[in-house]
Amino acid sequence: MKAKIDRTYEGSFHIVGGDFSRAGEASTELKSILLNVGIDEDTVRRVAIATFEAEMNIMIYATAGILRYTISPDEIRVVAEDMGPGIEDIELAMQEGYSTAPDWVREMGWGAGMGLPNMKKNSDVFRIESVVGEGTTVEMTIRLKDC
Ligand SMILES: Nc1ncnc2c1ncn2[C@@H]1O[C@H](COP(=O)(O)OP(=O)(O)O)[C@@H](O)[C@H]1O
Ligand SMILES: [Mg+2]
């Protein structure tokens, strides 16, 4: 038996680049939705970490983006799509500790270069696509555990 998810829930959040007053809003909201529908805490934690990192990357690097989620009986899917500069070398960006975050972002406590690696680590399926000058799309799937 999977977690008692009997239907599909979908929703989305708009994220505006540079609007740090709303940092973590989308991932916090998604976290409470997941807890409300009865997803186990370990899964919620993984989704929350991955979503927070995706949300912050849109805020830090992109102009704007949308974060869509689907909660279904078997899995949770989060797709973060942005309009922004894109990533030239995805393999390099995926490396632990690699960051182009400017100093003022680091002063706020972000920019450790662990966001993309942690998104991948916390997902069962992780995909990233990017077009330089257009934007980046990250797709993360977290399978629901048997309970
Ligand atoms: N949505 C994005 N748009 C453009 N560049 C991005 C995006 N996400 C990540 N990057 C690039 O990949 C690098 C690594 O990202 P990440 O692992 O989250 O670390 P950090 O955000 O701490 O720098 C970033 O410094 C940036 O150069
Ligand atoms: Mg990051």
Side-chain angles (χ1 to χ4, degrees):
M1 266 274 292
K2 299 276 181 188
K4 54 243 167 249
I5 309 304
D6 52 356
R7 46 162 284 213
T8 296
Y9 300 83
E10 287 180 306
S12 61
F13 304 99
H14 287 271
I15 295 157
V16 178
D19 187 2
F20 292 105
S21 69
R22 299 179 64 189
E25 216 174 76
S27 44
T28 302
E29 171 96 33
L30 179 57
K31 186 175 173 175
S32 68
I33 292 167
L34 295 174
L35 290 170
N36 278 335
V37 302
I39 306 290
D40 68 277
E41 278 179 30
D42 182 56
T43 303
V44 171
R45 188 185 50 79
R46 290 170 64 205
V47 175
I49 292 170
T51 304
F52 176 74
E53 294 294 351
E55 176 182 11
M56 291 313 297
N57 280 357
I58 295 175
M59 253 175 210
I60 296 169
Y61 305 108
T63 307
I66 185 161
L67 207 143
R68 295 189 182 83
Y69 67 87
T70 309
I71 307 163
S72 57
D74 289 326
E75 63 188 30
I76 296 164
R77 228 164 61 99
V78 175
V79 180
E81 186 177 0
D82 71 53
M83 293 184 301
I87 301 172
E88 218 169 272
D89 186 340
I90 290 178
E91 208 178 311
L92 181 62
M94 288 298 305
Q95 283 177 19
E96 295 190 0
Y98 176 82
S99 178
T100 62
D103 285 345
W104 62 270
V105 167
R106 291 170 195 264
E107 277 156 26
M108 293 171 93
W110 294 300
M114 292 304 293
L116 290 170
N118 279 334
M119 287 182 228
K120 185 172 182 186
K121 204 171 290 174
N122 284 287
S123 304
D124 291 304
V125 183
F126 176 86
R127 287 197 199 100
I128 179 166
E129 277 178 19
S130 192
V131 179
V132 172
E134 288 186 19
T136 302
T137 301
V138 172
E139 187 183 324
M140 301 177 287
T141 304
I142 291 99
R143 282 192 275 274
L144 294 181
K145 298 199 274 201
D146 291 325
C147 59

